[in-house]
PDB file of all heavy atoms in Angstrom:
ATOM      1  N   LEU A1495       9.914 -17.502  16.615  1.00 96.00           N
ATOM      2  CA  LEU A1495      10.098 -16.396  17.569  1.00 96.00           C
ATOM      3  C   LEU A1495       8.773 -16.033  18.241  1.00 96.00           C
ATOM      4  O   LEU A1495       8.737 -15.787  19.452  1.00 96.00           O
ATOM      5  CB  LEU A1495      10.683 -15.180  16.852  1.00 96.00           C
ATOM      6  CG  LEU A1495      12.124 -15.337  16.338  1.00 96.00           C
ATOM      7  CD1 LEU A1495      12.534 -14.110  15.531  1.00 96.00           C
ATOM      8  CD2 LEU A1495      13.081 -15.564  17.483  1.00 96.00           C
ATOM      9  N   THR A1496       7.711 -16.012  17.497  1.00 96.00           N
ATOM     10  CA  THR A1496       6.393 -15.692  18.058  1.00 96.00           C
ATOM     11  C   THR A1496       5.982 -16.767  19.070  1.00 96.00           C
ATOM     12  O   THR A1496       5.468 -16.448  20.155  1.00 96.00           O
ATOM     13  CB  THR A1496       5.337 -15.588  16.934  1.00 96.00           C
ATOM     14  OG1 THR A1496       5.739 -14.573  16.016  1.00 96.00           O
ATOM     15  CG2 THR A1496       3.977 -15.236  17.503  1.00 96.00           C
ATOM     16  N   ALA A1497       6.221 -18.019  18.738  1.00 97.00           N
ATOM     17  CA  ALA A1497       5.889 -19.121  19.651  1.00 97.00           C
ATOM     18  C   ALA A1497       6.725 -19.028  20.922  1.00 97.00           C
ATOM     19  O   ALA A1497       6.227 -19.238  22.035  1.00 97.00           O
ATOM     20  CB  ALA A1497       6.115 -20.459  18.957  1.00 97.00           C
ATOM     21  N   THR A1498       7.988 -18.683  20.798  1.00 97.00           N
ATOM     22  CA  THR A1498       8.880 -18.550  21.951  1.00 97.00           C
ATOM     23  C   THR A1498       8.431 -17.404  22.843  1.00 97.00           C
ATOM     24  O   THR A1498       8.381 -17.528  24.073  1.00 97.00           O
ATOM     25  CB  THR A1498      10.337 -18.337  21.492  1.00 97.00           C
ATOM     26  OG1 THR A1498      10.728 -19.415  20.644  1.00 97.00           O
ATOM     27  CG2 THR A1498      11.278 -18.251  22.684  1.00 97.00           C
ATOM     28  N   VAL A1499       8.090 -16.282  22.226  1.00 98.00           N
ATOM     29  CA  VAL A1499       7.592 -15.127  22.992  1.00 98.00           C
ATOM     30  C   VAL A1499       6.315 -15.511  23.719  1.00 98.00           C
ATOM     31  O   VAL A1499       6.128 -15.177  24.901  1.00 98.00           O
ATOM     32  CB  VAL A1499       7.375 -13.903  22.069  1.00 98.00           C
ATOM     33  CG1 VAL A1499       6.598 -12.815  22.803  1.00 98.00           C
ATOM     34  CG2 VAL A1499       8.700 -13.357  21.583  1.00 98.00           C
ATOM     35  N   THR A1500       5.414 -16.225  23.081  1.00 97.00           N
ATOM     36  CA  THR A1500       4.153 -16.645  23.702  1.00 97.00           C
ATOM     37  C   THR A1500       4.432 -17.547  24.902  1.00 97.00           C
ATOM     38  O   THR A1500       3.813 -17.398  25.969  1.00 97.00           O
ATOM     39  CB  THR A1500       3.276 -17.376  22.664  1.00 97.00           C
ATOM     40  OG1 THR A1500       3.026 -16.504  21.567  1.00 97.00           O
ATOM     41  CG2 THR A1500       1.958 -17.790  23.273  1.00 97.00           C
ATOM     42  N   LYS A1501       5.359 -18.493  24.737  1.00 98.00           N
ATOM     43  CA  LYS A1501       5.720 -19.391  25.842  1.00 98.00           C
ATOM     44  C   LYS A1501       6.341 -18.615  27.001  1.00 98.00           C
ATOM     45  O   LYS A1501       6.041 -18.874  28.175  1.00 98.00           O
ATOM     46  CB  LYS A1501       6.692 -20.457  25.357  1.00 98.00           C
ATOM     47  CG  LYS A1501       6.062 -21.526  24.500  1.00 98.00           C
ATOM     48  CD  LYS A1501       7.093 -22.548  24.071  1.00 98.00           C
ATOM     49  CE  LYS A1501       6.491 -23.569  23.123  1.00 98.00           C
ATOM     50  NZ  LYS A1501       7.485 -24.551  22.674  1.00 98.00           N
ATOM     51  N   LEU A1502       7.197 -17.664  26.691  1.00 98.00           N
ATOM     52  CA  LEU A1502       7.833 -16.867  27.746  1.00 98.00           C
ATOM     53  C   LEU A1502       6.815 -16.002  28.481  1.00 98.00           C
ATOM     54  O   LEU A1502       6.884 -15.847  29.708  1.00 98.00           O
ATOM     55  CB  LEU A1502       8.953 -16.006  27.162  1.00 98.00           C
ATOM     56  CG  LEU A1502      10.195 -16.768  26.681  1.00 98.00           C
ATOM     57  CD1 LEU A1502      11.165 -15.818  25.975  1.00 98.00           C
ATOM     58  CD2 LEU A1502      10.880 -17.477  27.833  1.00 98.00           C
ATOM     59  N   GLN A1503       5.854 -15.455  27.752  1.00 98.00           N
ATOM     60  CA  GLN A1503       4.809 -14.651  28.394  1.00 98.00           C
ATOM     61  C   GLN A1503       3.943 -15.528  29.302  1.00 98.00           C
ATOM     62  O   GLN A1503       3.574 -15.116  30.402  1.00 98.00           O
ATOM     63  CB  GLN A1503       3.949 -13.952  27.337  1.00 98.00           C
ATOM     64  CG  GLN A1503       4.647 -12.789  26.663  1.00 98.00           C
ATOM     65  CD  GLN A1503       3.826 -12.188  25.523  1.00 98.00           C
ATOM     66  OE1 GLN A1503       2.958 -12.837  24.962  1.00 98.00           O
ATOM     67  NE2 GLN A1503       4.146 -10.947  25.177  1.00 98.00           N
ATOM     68  N   ALA A1504       3.649 -16.737  28.837  1.00 98.00           N
ATOM     69  CA  ALA A1504       2.859 -17.654  29.657  1.00 98.00           C
ATOM     70  C   ALA A1504       3.625 -18.017  30.929  1.00 98.00           C
ATOM     71  O   ALA A1504       3.052 -18.080  32.029  1.00 98.00           O
ATOM     72  CB  ALA A1504       2.521 -18.909  28.854  1.00 98.00           C
ATOM     73  N   ARG A1505       4.918 -18.248  30.777  1.00 98.00           N
ATOM     74  CA  ARG A1505       5.737 -18.572  31.947  1.00 98.00           C
ATOM     75  C   ARG A1505       5.810 -17.394  32.902  1.00 98.00           C
ATOM     76  O   ARG A1505       5.750 -17.551  34.134  1.00 98.00           O
ATOM     77  CB  ARG A1505       7.161 -18.988  31.516  1.00 98.00           C
ATOM     78  CG  ARG A1505       8.091 -19.294  32.641  1.00 98.00           C
ATOM     79  CD  ARG A1505       7.628 -20.464  33.498  1.00 98.00           C
ATOM     80  NE  ARG A1505       8.506 -20.634  34.658  1.00 98.00           N
ATOM     81  CZ  ARG A1505       8.092 -20.947  35.870  1.00 98.00           C
ATOM     82  NH1 ARG A1505       6.817 -21.185  36.094  1.00 98.00           N
ATOM     83  NH2 ARG A1505       8.944 -21.064  36.852  1.00 98.00           N
ATOM     84  N   LYS A1506       5.917 -16.186  32.344  1.00 98.00           N
ATOM     85  CA  LYS A1506       5.959 -14.981  33.182  1.00 98.00           C
ATOM     86  C   LYS A1506       4.664 -14.859  33.988  1.00 98.00           C
ATOM     87  O   LYS A1506       4.695 -14.544  35.177  1.00 98.00           O
ATOM     88  CB  LYS A1506       6.177 -13.748  32.307  1.00 98.00           C
ATOM     89  CG  LYS A1506       6.354 -12.476  33.101  1.00 98.00           C
ATOM     90  CD  LYS A1506       6.650 -11.299  32.189  1.00 98.00           C
ATOM     91  CE  LYS A1506       6.782 -10.021  32.982  1.00 98.00           C
ATOM     92  NZ  LYS A1506       7.012  -8.854  32.150  1.00 98.00           N
ATOM     93  N   GLU A1507       3.531 -15.119  33.370  1.00 98.00           N
ATOM     94  CA  GLU A1507       2.238 -15.072  34.077  1.00 98.00           C
ATOM     95  C   GLU A1507       2.176 -16.161  35.155  1.00 98.00           C
ATOM     96  O   GLU A1507       1.666 -15.923  36.257  1.00 98.00           O
ATOM     97  CB  GLU A1507       1.093 -15.233  33.085  1.00 98.00           C
ATOM     98  CG  GLU A1507       0.905 -14.019  32.184  1.00 98.00           C
ATOM     99  CD  GLU A1507      -0.132 -14.247  31.079  1.00 98.00           C
ATOM    100  OE1 GLU A1507      -0.885 -15.250  31.155  1.00 98.00           O
ATOM    101  OE2 GLU A1507      -0.186 -13.431  30.152  1.00 98.00           O
ATOM    102  N   ALA A1508       2.714 -17.329  34.839  1.00 98.00           N
ATOM    103  CA  ALA A1508       2.734 -18.414  35.817  1.00 98.00           C
ATOM    104  C   ALA A1508       3.605 -18.037  37.017  1.00 98.00           C
ATOM    105  O   ALA A1508       3.268 -18.347  38.166  1.00 98.00           O
ATOM    106  CB  ALA A1508       3.241 -19.698  35.169  1.00 98.00           C
ATOM    107  N   ILE A1509       4.706 -17.371  36.745  1.00 98.00           N
ATOM    108  CA  ILE A1509       5.597 -16.924  37.822  1.00 98.00           C
ATOM    109  C   ILE A1509       4.877 -15.935  38.733  1.00 98.00           C
ATOM    110  O   ILE A1509       4.965 -16.027  39.961  1.00 98.00           O
ATOM    111  CB  ILE A1509       6.897 -16.310  37.240  1.00 98.00           C
ATOM    112  CG1 ILE A1509       7.775 -17.423  36.653  1.00 98.00           C
ATOM    113  CG2 ILE A1509       7.662 -15.519  38.297  1.00 98.00           C
ATOM    114  CD1 ILE A1509       8.965 -16.911  35.863  1.00 98.00           C
ATOM    115  N   VAL A1510       4.151 -14.987  38.144  1.00 97.00           N
ATOM    116  CA  VAL A1510       3.407 -13.999  38.940  1.00 97.00           C
ATOM    117  C   VAL A1510       2.381 -14.703  39.821  1.00 97.00           C
ATOM    118  O   VAL A1510       2.251 -14.410  41.010  1.00 97.00           O
ATOM    119  CB  VAL A1510       2.738 -12.948  38.014  1.00 97.00           C
ATOM    120  CG1 VAL A1510       1.759 -12.085  38.792  1.00 97.00           C
ATOM    121  CG2 VAL A1510       3.793 -12.080  37.348  1.00 97.00           C
ATOM    122  N   THR A1511       1.674 -15.674  39.235  1.00 97.00           N
ATOM    123  CA  THR A1511       0.658 -16.415  39.993  1.00 97.00           C
ATOM    124  C   THR A1511       1.303 -17.201  41.138  1.00 97.00           C
ATOM    125  O   THR A1511       0.822 -17.185  42.272  1.00 97.00           O
ATOM    126  CB  THR A1511      -0.103 -17.382  39.058  1.00 97.00           C
ATOM    127  OG1 THR A1511      -0.714 -16.626  38.015  1.00 97.00           O
ATOM    128  CG2 THR A1511      -1.154 -18.159  39.799  1.00 97.00           C
ATOM    129  N   GLU A1512       2.406 -17.880  40.829  1.00 98.00           N
ATOM    130  CA  GLU A1512       3.100 -18.663  41.851  1.00 98.00           C
ATOM    131  C   GLU A1512       3.655 -17.762  42.947  1.00 98.00           C
ATOM    132  O   GLU A1512       3.572 -18.072  44.137  1.00 98.00           O
ATOM    133  CB  GLU A1512       4.235 -19.467  41.209  1.00 98.00           C
ATOM    134  CG  GLU A1512       4.887 -20.455  42.146  1.00 98.00           C
ATOM    135  CD  GLU A1512       5.914 -21.331  41.446  1.00 98.00           C
ATOM    136  OE1 GLU A1512       5.917 -21.427  40.201  1.00 98.00           O
ATOM    137  OE2 GLU A1512       6.740 -21.917  42.179  1.00 98.00           O
ATOM    138  N   LYS A1513       4.196 -16.620  42.552  1.00 98.00           N
ATOM    139  CA  LYS A1513       4.748 -15.654  43.515  1.00 98.00           C
ATOM    140  C   LYS A1513       3.644 -15.144  44.441  1.00 98.00           C
ATOM    141  O   LYS A1513       3.836 -15.070  45.660  1.00 98.00           O
ATOM    142  CB  LYS A1513       5.405 -14.493  42.758  1.00 98.00           C
ATOM    143  CG  LYS A1513       6.128 -13.508  43.664  1.00 98.00           C
ATOM    144  CD  LYS A1513       6.871 -12.463  42.848  1.00 98.00           C
ATOM    145  CE  LYS A1513       5.980 -11.257  42.697  1.00 98.00           C
ATOM    146  NZ  LYS A1513       6.622 -10.128  42.030  1.00 98.00           N
ATOM    147  N   ASP A1514       2.497 -14.817  43.872  1.00 98.00           N
ATOM    148  CA  ASP A1514       1.372 -14.351  44.690  1.00 98.00           C
ATOM    149  C   ASP A1514       0.930 -15.432  45.683  1.00 98.00           C
ATOM    150  O   ASP A1514       0.608 -15.135  46.838  1.00 98.00           O
ATOM    151  CB  ASP A1514       0.207 -13.925  43.807  1.00 98.00           C
ATOM    152  CG  ASP A1514       0.477 -12.636  43.036  1.00 98.00           C
ATOM    153  OD1 ASP A1514       1.431 -11.910  43.405  1.00 98.00           O
ATOM    154  OD2 ASP A1514      -0.259 -12.367  42.062  1.00 98.00           O
ATOM    155  N   GLY A1515       0.926 -16.681  45.209  1.00 98.00           N
ATOM    156  CA  GLY A1515       0.572 -17.788  46.103  1.00 98.00           C
ATOM    157  C   GLY A1515       1.553 -17.920  47.248  1.00 98.00           C
ATOM    158  O   GLY A1515       1.160 -18.131  48.402  1.00 98.00           O
ATOM    159  N   LYS A1516       2.829 -17.802  46.953  1.00 98.00           N
ATOM    160  CA  LYS A1516       3.867 -17.895  47.993  1.00 98.00           C
ATOM    161  C   LYS A1516       3.745 -16.737  48.982  1.00 98.00           C
ATOM    162  O   LYS A1516       3.913 -16.913  50.184  1.00 98.00           O
ATOM    163  CB  LYS A1516       5.273 -17.901  47.380  1.00 98.00           C
ATOM    164  CG  LYS A1516       5.562 -19.057  46.460  1.00 98.00           C
ATOM    165  CD  LYS A1516       5.654 -20.357  47.210  1.00 98.00           C
ATOM    166  CE  LYS A1516       5.989 -21.481  46.230  1.00 98.00           C
ATOM    167  NZ  LYS A1516       5.881 -22.791  46.830  1.00 98.00           N
ATOM    168  N   LYS A1517       3.427 -15.545  48.463  1.00 98.00           N
ATOM    169  CA  LYS A1517       3.241 -14.391  49.355  1.00 98.00           C
ATOM    170  C   LYS A1517       2.066 -14.645  50.292  1.00 98.00           C
ATOM    171  O   LYS A1517       2.126 -14.300  51.483  1.00 98.00           O
ATOM    172  CB  LYS A1517       3.001 -13.117  48.548  1.00 98.00           C
ATOM    173  CG  LYS A1517       4.244 -12.535  47.934  1.00 98.00           C
ATOM    174  CD  LYS A1517       3.917 -11.237  47.192  1.00 98.00           C
ATOM    175  CE  LYS A1517       5.152 -10.601  46.593  1.00 98.00           C
ATOM    176  NZ  LYS A1517       4.845  -9.341  45.904  1.00 98.00           N
ATOM    177  N   GLY A1518       1.018 -15.247  49.769  1.00 98.00           N
ATOM    178  CA  GLY A1518      -0.138 -15.583  50.609  1.00 98.00           C
ATOM    179  C   GLY A1518       0.237 -16.579  51.688  1.00 98.00           C
ATOM    180  O   GLY A1518      -0.197 -16.459  52.844  1.00 98.00           O
ATOM    181  N   GLN A1519       1.062 -17.565  51.335  1.00 98.00           N
ATOM    182  CA  GLN A1519       1.513 -18.536  52.324  1.00 98.00           C
ATOM    183  C   GLN A1519       2.366 -17.882  53.400  1.00 98.00           C
ATOM    184  O   GLN A1519       2.236 -18.192  54.589  1.00 98.00           O
ATOM    185  CB  GLN A1519       2.306 -19.658  51.639  1.00 98.00           C
ATOM    186  CG  GLN A1519       1.452 -20.574  50.790  1.00 98.00           C
ATOM    187  CD  GLN A1519       2.274 -21.600  50.023  1.00 98.00           C
ATOM    188  OE1 GLN A1519       3.433 -21.351  49.691  1.00 98.00           O
ATOM    189  NE2 GLN A1519       1.671 -22.748  49.753  1.00 98.00           N
ATOM    190  N   VAL A1520       3.224 -16.971  52.998  1.00 98.00           N
ATOM    191  CA  VAL A1520       4.068 -16.249  53.961  1.00 98.00           C
ATOM    192  C   VAL A1520       3.189 -15.455  54.919  1.00 98.00           C
ATOM    193  O   VAL A1520       3.406 -15.463  56.139  1.00 98.00           O
ATOM    194  CB  VAL A1520       5.081 -15.332  53.235  1.00 98.00           C
ATOM    195  CG1 VAL A1520       5.743 -14.373  54.211  1.00 98.00           C
ATOM    196  CG2 VAL A1520       6.128 -16.163  52.501  1.00 98.00           C
ATOM    197  N   THR A1521       2.179 -14.792  54.400  1.00 98.00           N
ATOM    198  CA  THR A1521       1.260 -14.012  55.238  1.00 98.00           C
ATOM    199  C   THR A1521       0.547 -14.926  56.231  1.00 98.00           C
ATOM    200  O   THR A1521       0.435 -14.590  57.419  1.00 98.00           O
ATOM    201  CB  THR A1521       0.232 -13.265  54.366  1.00 98.00           C
ATOM    202  OG1 THR A1521       0.939 -12.387  53.489  1.00 98.00           O
ATOM    203  CG2 THR A1521      -0.730 -12.460  55.205  1.00 98.00           C
ATOM    204  N   ASP A1522       0.082 -16.075  55.762  1.00 98.00           N
ATOM    205  CA  ASP A1522      -0.589 -17.022  56.655  1.00 98.00           C
ATOM    206  C   ASP A1522       0.352 -17.493  57.762  1.00 98.00           C
ATOM    207  O   ASP A1522      -0.036 -17.569  58.929  1.00 98.00           O
ATOM    208  CB  ASP A1522      -1.094 -18.244  55.869  1.00 98.00           C
ATOM    209  CG  ASP A1522      -2.251 -17.901  54.938  1.00 98.00           C
ATOM    210  OD1 ASP A1522      -2.867 -16.820  55.092  1.00 98.00           O
ATOM    211  OD2 ASP A1522      -2.542 -18.736  54.047  1.00 98.00           O
ATOM    212  N   ILE A1523       1.579 -17.804  57.399  1.00 98.00           N
ATOM    213  CA  ILE A1523       2.557 -18.263  58.393  1.00 98.00           C
ATOM    214  C   ILE A1523       2.864 -17.158  59.400  1.00 98.00           C
ATOM    215  O   ILE A1523       2.975 -17.414  60.607  1.00 98.00           O
ATOM    216  CB  ILE A1523       3.842 -18.764  57.696  1.00 98.00           C
ATOM    217  CG1 ILE A1523       3.548 -20.064  56.949  1.00 98.00           C
ATOM    218  CG2 ILE A1523       4.978 -18.947  58.687  1.00 98.00           C
ATOM    219  CD1 ILE A1523       4.664 -20.532  56.043  1.00 98.00           C
ATOM    220  N   GLU A1524       2.991 -15.932  58.933  1.00 98.00           N
ATOM    221  CA  GLU A1524       3.251 -14.813  59.851  1.00 98.00           C
ATOM    222  C   GLU A1524       2.103 -14.639  60.833  1.00 98.00           C
ATOM    223  O   GLU A1524       2.333 -14.363  62.019  1.00 98.00           O
ATOM    224  CB  GLU A1524       3.481 -13.528  59.056  1.00 98.00           C
ATOM    225  CG  GLU A1524       4.824 -13.494  58.345  1.00 98.00           C
ATOM    226  CD  GLU A1524       4.977 -12.315  57.402  1.00 98.00           C
ATOM    227  OE1 GLU A1524       3.968 -11.691  57.019  1.00 98.00           O
ATOM    228  OE2 GLU A1524       6.138 -12.020  57.033  1.00 98.00           O
ATOM    229  N   GLU A1525       0.870 -14.827  60.382  1.00 98.00           N
ATOM    230  CA  GLU A1525      -0.285 -14.726  61.274  1.00 98.00           C
ATOM    231  C   GLU A1525      -0.258 -15.854  62.305  1.00 98.00           C
ATOM    232  O   GLU A1525      -0.547 -15.633  63.486  1.00 98.00           O
ATOM    233  CB  GLU A1525      -1.582 -14.767  60.469  1.00 98.00           C
ATOM    234  CG  GLU A1525      -1.836 -13.504  59.671  1.00 98.00           C
ATOM    235  CD  GLU A1525      -3.057 -13.605  58.751  1.00 98.00           C
ATOM    236  OE1 GLU A1525      -3.813 -14.597  58.845  1.00 98.00           O
ATOM    237  OE2 GLU A1525      -3.253 -12.686  57.939  1.00 98.00           O
TER     238      GLU A1525
END
């Protein structure tokens, strides 16, 4: 369970990073 929680937290952080990157791309395209 601890290993699963750690993996899910890592994935959640990766999602935030990827989402921020996509938002940056959207901003660039809008400009």
Side-chain angles (χ1 to χ4, degrees):
L1495 293 175
T1496 301
T1498 303
V1499 168
T1500 301
K1501 286 180 184 179
L1502 290 173
Q1503 286 175 338
R1505 178 62 186 141
K1506 185 177 178 182
E1507 289 173 13
I1509 288 171
V1510 169
T1511 301
E1512 188 174 343
K1513 186 174 94 175
D1514 290 344
K1516 298 291 182 189
K1517 283 182 178 181
Q1519 290 175 332
V1520 168
T1521 300
D1522 291 344
I1523 291 170
E1524 287 172 342
E1525 288 174 9

